[in-house]
Amino acid sequence: SLNIFASFSSELFVIFACCVYDEKYFLVLAFSVSEALSMFMQAELDLEKGLEMRKRVLSGILASEETYLSHLEALLLPMKPLKAAATTSQPVLTVQQIETIFFKVPELYEIHKEFYDSLLPRVQQWSHHQRVGDLFQKQASQLGVYRAFVDNYKLAVETAEKCCQANTQFAEISESLKVRSTKECKDLTAKYSLETLLYKPVDRVTRSTLVLHDLLKHTPSSHPDYPLLQDALRISQNFLSSINEESTPRRQSMTVKKGENRQLLKDSFMVELVEGARKLRHVFLFTDLLLCAKLKKQIGGKSQQYDSKWYIPLSDLNFQTAEESEPLPIPQAPDEELDAIKIKISSLRSEIQRERRANKGSKVMERLKKKLSEQESLLLLNSPNMPLRVHNRNGKSYVFLISSDYERAEWKEVIREQQKKCFKTFSLTSMELQMLTNSCLKLQTVHQLPLTVNKDEDESTGLYGFLNVIVHSASGLKQSLNLYCTLEVDSFSIFVNKAKTRVYRYTTEPKWNEEFEIELEGSQTLRLLCYEKSYNKAKMNKEDGESTDRIMGKGQIALDPQMLQGKDWQRTVIPMNGIEVKISMKFTSREFSLKRMPPRKPMGVFGVNISTVTKREHSKVPYIVRQCLEEIERRGMEEVGIYRVSGVATDIQALKTAFDTNNKDVSVMMSEMDVNAIAGTLKLYFRELPEPLFTDELYPNFAGGIALSDSVAKESCMLNLLLSLPEPNLVTFLFLLDHLKRIAEKESVNKMSLHNLATVFGPTLLRPAEKDSKIPTNPTQPITMGDSWSLEVMSQVQVLLYFLQLETIPTPDSKRQSILFSTEV
């Protein structure tokens, strides 16, 4: 047994082994034991980290429980005086009304108070053997109280509304219930409406399974808590599934005249283009109309209010085509401005993290969060550029700007499906419109902008690194079509198209089996769209600047760090409108994917120092760089998203092997491959250099130089640094620089500006070896990994952008001559 061997000292083990085995078998056994011990120690370390994370999850649960208890206390606070007044000659409410409105609230408070009081000392006296599963199991067994509350919820809200209308004193009480401050927010006081607080238990029970999921993830299966938590999760899931379908419609519907039921189908924050200006709106799609509203600013502690901007009955709504309208000029913020906003966002996130760790006053935290909210709102307002037009039959058109083809298709799909059920046109009186707008506060499902400032402290800020995706095949098609798929991922809450498969011609079961490598920057969702390719130019009526190709299906999947943490491929199926697309995913975190490896032996070109390659080839610029740029300039200058859209990974690997083995047919291979694969091969070459093109030694100086505020000093510093590069590095960079400028000249067609190119190539050309890649920070005020990465990447982008924007680079004649005229290049 390895455990027995591990218990011996090394001397005793050697003697024992030599007595039993000959030398050959002893060496094998000794190595196995050593390896087992190493594995055992690593497993112990992983277990230690997991158990430490378990404490953090429990600390988050305690904080959440404290906030929830404060909400329940605020509900109970008016109940006692109302009950006391009910027995007087001038009651505010009757005893029956009080019991209906506050039904089961005292019982819920007692359940959670007991849970909090029991959990707190266990977390405070924490050890990895501490048990908490019994508390969660007991809490799950009391979900019957929630069942009674949920069953009574609709009646409670209706009773409260009637009482508010009949009694002004109760209306005043119900609009401004004070919630006590928690430990996290000592200096803040908050006011909530009675209806908002009554919904808290309904919302709470829908989150119960999420809490248990998180805790189970970080509880070893051998821990005594594990079976108890599993049992609690089972009870919670069964309970949730039984009430989920009942509770949601209650909040999302309202009664209109003639007893008809108007239900909210979908709502979202969107950007509207109004007379050439971008405006942030909240759009509500009801079963019979589309309403566009503006969220008013809160003044003097008043509750939120919506102001109606316009509405269109669904029976009168059309999606206007480009042929029916004039070309639409869309004001766009320069990429540099958006980049500057992202830098501010990353910096503010870092400050918030430092404040949170330092446990400073909540006023500082709230001020930082307010600034973060302003910057993120600004980014959300200025980022989307994809138009979605809606047209009223009366002649009025409205334009929304969105960032994703997926989102545009989703809105059109839901509206068109609902239009099949709507035939009558109508108009609302001003009173009816006001009532509808007021109801939006109660009915909305999206309460805040989809930004990081709204996320809980322990929520994931997304994945950073590389996601390899294999798009295998699709099934469920009813007829033979020409099909391809695109992949989108989010970054800073904005979705971007990252990859596209080849068109699989005329089939009901396309089998692409294409792999893509997608860089993630805080991404949380992968979206996949399946298109039918249109080859008939006579029928290419582009709608709102959309692709002429028809979307056949769309689906998305959350990028769960727990699911993707292993090294193995994760295979899954994405369902989309009757079609199923099979994909596999494998994630490599930036700690591993961005680690430059030591130089290989001087064979091949990938992973070999650039000076070694150029010396061997007797050239100024590596052959691989020259060949790739030549092919891209021959047929890729007008390719939309060149260098940004991912190429097929298998094609890239095939080209890598061909260049490494000096395959004479590499030119033929390149001519037959998709141009995005060639662009991907070039990027991979620079990424796998043992040292970046700008060198490890000079990288800190480039990062410092770009931060200089004086333009003259900056130019002097940056040019001197550039000319300090080793000659192969400098000549190769200038060769690439000229090419990228020519790409940007075709921006109107390929959509690749200088800034877009800098974003793609900046980290590739500048990212240093891991030991040099950290931003210097105060050890007492660490920056989170995601924010550190964002700030560093943006610095690298700015360095490359600086050189791209220079009209000329005054290099010594000898080096410029070698680039322009040398046959060796």
Side-chain angles (χ1 to χ4, degrees):
S1 169
L2 291 177
N3 289 332
I4 295 174
F5 287 138
S7 66
F8 289 118
S9 69
S10 58
E11 291 85 355
L12 287 174
F13 173 70
V14 170
I15 294 169
F16 175 77
C18 288
C19 290
V20 177
Y21 302 106
D22 62 29
E23 184 179 358
K24 175 182 175 183
Y25 289 102
F26 160 66
L27 289 173
V28 173
L29 181 60
F31 173 76
S32 299
V33 172
S34 173
E35 187 179 49
L37 287 173
S38 175
M39 292 171 61
F40 175 76
M41 291 173 67
Q42 183 60 44
E44 283 289 306
L45 184 62
D46 293 342
L47 183 62
E48 188 78 13
K49 290 180 180 177
L51 290 170
E52 183 60 32
M53 188 62 188
R54 189 167 181 258
K55 181 186 177 182
R56 293 180 186 175
V57 172
L58 286 169
S59 298
I61 292 171
L62 274 174
S64 177
E65 282 289 318
E66 187 179 6
T67 302
Y68 182 49
L69 283 171
S70 69
H71 291 149
L72 293 177
E73 283 176 357
L75 265 179
L76 292 173
L77 195 61
M79 190 181 79
K80 292 180 180 179
L82 286 171
K83 274 191 173 182
T87 57
T88 66
S89 59
Q90 292 183 326
V92 179
L93 301 180
T94 66
V95 174
Q96 182 62 41
Q97 288 171 331
I98 295 169
E99 289 180 351
T100 301
I101 294 171
F102 299 96
F103 184 69
K104 293 298 178 182
V105 175
E107 290 85 346
L108 291 176
Y109 178 81
E110 290 302 321
I111 289 171
H112 284 271
K113 185 70 167 66
E114 181 185 358
F115 175 76
Y116 178 85
D117 290 342
S118 301
L119 182 60
L120 180 61
R122 298 195 192 185
V123 176
Q124 288 175 336
Q125 302 166 7
W126 184 253
S127 75
H128 294 329
H129 302 292
Q130 183 68 272
R131 299 186 183 188
V132 295
D134 58 308
L135 302 180
F136 286 90
Q137 190 181 45
K138 182 178 179 181
Q139 190 182 49
S141 68
Q142 297 170 312
L143 284 173
V145 180
Y146 272 99
R147 160 57 72 185
F149 179 89
V150 170
D151 287 343
N152 181 73
Y153 173 72
K154 183 178 181 181
L155 181 59
V157 173
E158 289 175 350
T159 304
E161 287 179 354
K162 290 177 182 176
C163 291
C164 285
Q165 294 170 3
N167 190 302
T168 56
Q169 187 179 354
F170 180 68
E172 291 176 3
I173 294 172
S174 65
E175 279 302 314
S176 57
L177 296 176
K178 292 183 179 180
V179 176
R180 68 173 175 85
S181 60
T182 62
K183 292 176 183 177
E184 293 291 319
C185 304
K186 295 177 183 177
D187 301 326
L188 294 180
T189 57
K191 292 182 180 180
Y192 290 82
S193 68
L194 175 66
E195 185 174 348
T196 300
L197 290 176
L198 280 174
Y199 185 69
K200 294 293 181 182
V202 178
D203 185 55
R204 187 75 179 180
V205 75
T206 60
R207 296 171 179 264
S208 58
T209 57
L210 301 178
V211 171
L212 288 165
H213 269 300
D214 289 341
L215 196 52
L216 266 170
K217 284 179 185 176
H218 303 289
T219 302
S221 56
S222 58
H223 196 285
D225 271 351
Y226 196 82
L228 300 178
L229 293 173
Q230 276 190 318
D231 187 51
L233 178 61
R234 177 187 56 79
I235 296 171
S236 180
Q237 285 176 326
N238 290 340
F239 175 75
L240 185 60
S241 63
S242 69
I243 70 161
N244 220 12
E245 294 181 358
E246 301 171 14
S247 61
T248 303
R250 290 174 181 168
R251 296 187 67 241
Q252 293 182 252
S253 63
M254 60 180 295
T255 303
V256 295
K257 60 185 179 181
K258 298 181 182 178
E260 297 173 356
N261 190 46
R262 173 178 290 142
Q263 187 174 350
L264 179 64
L265 300 176
K266 181 178 175 64
D267 67 302
S268 175
F269 283 97
M270 298 176 73
V271 176
E272 185 184 11
L273 191 60
V274 183
E275 296 179 352
R278 294 167 178 260
K279 304 290 184 180
L280 196 60
R281 305 293 194 221
H282 198 151
V283 182
F284 296 85
L285 174 61
F286 290 93
T287 44
D288 59 345
L289 62 85
L290 183 72
L291 173 68
C292 178
K294 174 187 176 183
L295 186 62
K296 292 182 179 179
K297 289 185 178 180
Q298 291 178 267
I299 303 174
K302 292 183 179 180
S303 59
Q304 287 183 325
Q305 286 184 310
Y306 279 106
D307 180 22
S308 170
K309 304 307 293 183
W310 52 265
Y311 75 93
I312 304 177
L314 294 189
S315 56
D316 293 342
L317 188 151
N318 283 324
F319 293 106
Q320 191 173 11
T321 63
E323 287 187 345
E324 297 170 343
S325 63
E326 296 178 0
L328 181 67
I330 300 175
Q332 297 187 20
D335 291 326
E336 294 87 332
E337 285 186 19
L338 297 179
D339 205 40
I341 296 173
K342 291 177 183 179
I343 291 174
K344 289 179 183 177
I345 289 173
S346 295
S347 298
L348 286 167
R349 285 178 186 168
S350 301
E351 286 188 61
I352 289 172
Q353 290 293 334
R354 289 197 292 268
E355 287 296 322
R356 186 174 283 127
R357 291 190 180 95
N359 293 319
K360 293 188 178 179
S362 59
K363 286 185 177 179
V364 177
M365 183 80 76
E366 288 305 310
R367 188 167 65 250
L368 290 171
K369 284 187 175 181
K370 183 179 179 181
K371 288 183 180 179
L372 178 59
S373 178
E374 291 171 354
Q375 292 299 318
E376 290 189 315
S377 298
L378 194 60
L379 181 64
L380 191 65
L381 184 65
N382 287 287
S383 293
N385 294 310
M386 188 178 289
L388 169 64
R389 298 189 190 215
V390 292
H391 178 63
N392 192 324
R393 286 180 185 172
N394 296 332
K396 181 67 175 175
S397 294
Y398 305 94
V399 180
F400 293 113
L401 300 177
I402 51 183
S403 64
S404 163
D405 213 8
Y406 184 100
E407 185 181 358
R408 179 162 60 181
E410 190 171 43
W411 275 97
K412 287 192 171 185
E413 183 180 298
V414 176
I415 289 174
R416 282 170 172 157
E417 187 63 31
Q418 188 59 29
Q419 282 180 318
K420 296 175 183 177
K421 307 170 187 176
C422 299
F423 304 103
K424 295 180 181 179
T425 186
F426 59 89
S427 61
L428 300 178
T429 66
S430 57
M431 182 62 72
E432 288 172 335
L433 182 58
Q434 185 62 48
M435 289 178 63
L436 176 63
T437 307
N438 290 342
S439 72
C440 290
L441 281 171
K442 303 173 185 177
L443 303 177
Q444 61 184 344
T445 60
V446 180
H447 297 273
Q448 294 173 308
L449 299 178
L451 306 169
T452 57
V453 72
N454 302 315
K455 295 178 181 176
D456 296 332
E457 180 182 345
D458 57 349
E459 273 193 81
S460 169
T461 55
L463 296 174
Y464 290 81
F466 286 89
L467 182 71
N468 285 73
V469 181
I470 301 176
V471 182
H472 293 290
S473 60
S475 58
L477 291 159
K478 305 299 183 183
Q479 55 181 319
S480 295
L481 299 169
N482 301 310
L483 294 169
Y484 68 92
C485 291
T486 63
L487 301 172
E488 298 179 353
V489 295
D490 58 308
S491 176
F492 284 87
S493 302
I494 307 298
F495 279 85
V496 181
N497 183 17
K498 285 287 190 177
K500 175 182 174 182
T501 69
R502 71 183 186 278
V503 178
Y504 209 97
R505 301 293 296 268
Y506 203 67
T507 180
T508 57
E509 294 186 357
K511 296 178 181 178
W512 295 283
N513 290 317
E514 293 183 68
E515 181 185 340
F516 302 93
E517 184 180 72
I518 299 172
E519 188 169 1
L520 304 181
E521 295 179 285
S523 305
Q524 295 180 301
T525 306
L526 170 70
R527 287 176 170 177
L528 190 143
L529 296 98
C530 189
Y531 291 85
E532 178 194 6
K533 181 68 176 176
S534 173
Y535 291 103
N536 189 342
K537 294 184 179 181
K539 295 182 179 180
M540 287 186 177
N541 297 325
K542 294 192 175 182
E543 186 177 345
D544 292 347
E546 286 185 70
S547 165
T548 57
D549 304 330
R550 182 164 61 110
I551 295 179
M552 300 300 298
K554 56 183 178 53
Q556 64 182 22
I557 186 169
L559 298 176
D560 183 1
Q562 296 296 325
M563 183 183 75
L564 295 171
Q565 67 181 352
K567 294 182 180 180
D568 296 332
W569 287 91
Q570 302 293 323
R571 196 177 180 101
T572 187
V573 174
I574 298 182
M576 44 173 75
N577 307 339
I579 302 172
E580 289 188 341
V581 177
K582 295 182 177 65
I583 68 167
S584 293
M585 297 185 295
K586 182 172 68 172
F587 172 67
T588 307
S589 67
R590 64 165 177 269
E591 294 94 311
F592 297 101
S593 63
L594 301 180
K595 187 183 293 184
R596 290 193 187 269
M597 304 305 291
R600 301 176 188 169
K601 294 180 180 179
M603 296 180 291
V605 294
F606 283 82
V608 179
N609 284 323
I610 191 169
S611 57
T612 304
V613 173
T614 53
K615 187 177 181 180
R616 183 207 310 146
E617 295 177 350
H618 304 290
S619 64
K620 299 289 186 180
V621 176
Y623 175 73
I624 182 175
V625 175
R626 287 180 279 136
Q627 282 293 99
C628 289
L629 296 190
E630 181 182 324
E631 189 64 25
I632 290 169
E633 295 209 1
R634 186 173 70 85
R635 58 189 177 95
M637 299 294 282
E638 297 186 355
E639 180 76 15
V640 175
I642 186 68
Y643 289 119
R644 178 177 56 79
V645 175
S646 174
V648 178
T650 47
D651 289 349
I652 293 172
Q653 288 301 316
L655 279 175
K656 176 183 177 181
T657 302
F659 278 113
D660 269 340
T661 57
N662 196 22
N663 191 320
K664 295 180 180 180
D665 295 328
V666 68
S667 297
V668 177
M669 290 176 62
M670 292 173 71
S671 66
E672 296 174 350
M673 283 187 178
D674 178 62
V675 72
N676 288 312
I678 297 165
T681 304
L682 181 68
K683 290 189 294 181
L684 182 65
Y685 167 73
F686 285 118
R687 205 167 73 219
E688 290 196 355
L689 285 175
E691 184 180 45
L693 202 64
F694 279 51
T695 73
D696 287 332
E697 181 184 358
L698 294 179
Y699 172 71
N701 298 329
F702 277 110
I706 198 63
L708 294 175
S709 54
D710 184 270
S711 59
V712 176
K714 180 188 289 187
E715 182 176 355
S716 175
C717 177
M718 297 296 282
L719 288 176
N720 282 326
L721 286 170
L722 185 66
L723 298 178
S724 300
L725 290 173
E727 185 175 1
N729 299 54
L730 175 61
V731 175
T732 299
F733 172 66
L734 293 175
F735 192 71
L736 175 65
L737 192 71
D738 288 341
H739 163 76
L740 294 179
K741 287 182 177 181
R742 287 192 291 274
I743 291 283
E745 288 172 1
K746 301 279 188 178
E747 178 189 352
S748 60
V749 182
N750 61 36
K751 310 302 180 186
M752 293 300 291
S753 64
L754 290 176
H755 185 274
N756 287 340
L757 292 165
T759 301
V760 171
F761 275 96
T764 301
L765 301 180
L766 280 105
R767 174 183 49 79
E770 186 182 20
K771 66 180 185 300
D772 301 314
S773 65
K774 304 298 180 186
I775 291 180
T777 58
N778 186 330
T780 62
Q781 297 180 334
I783 291 179
T784 61
M785 294 173 70
D787 295 329
S788 172
W789 168 243
S790 298
L791 290 169
E792 190 170 8
V793 164
M794 289 170 188
S795 173
Q796 295 159 4
V797 170
Q798 291 301 315
V799 170
L800 180 55
L801 182 62
Y802 181 83
F803 292 119
L804 282 168
Q805 290 175 332
L806 287 178
E807 288 187 15
T808 58
I809 295 179
T811 56
D813 289 342
S814 61
K815 292 179 180 177
R816 175 57 69 175
Q817 289 291 323
S818 70
I819 297 167
L820 298 179
F821 304 111
S822 174
T823 55
E824 291 180 337
V825 175

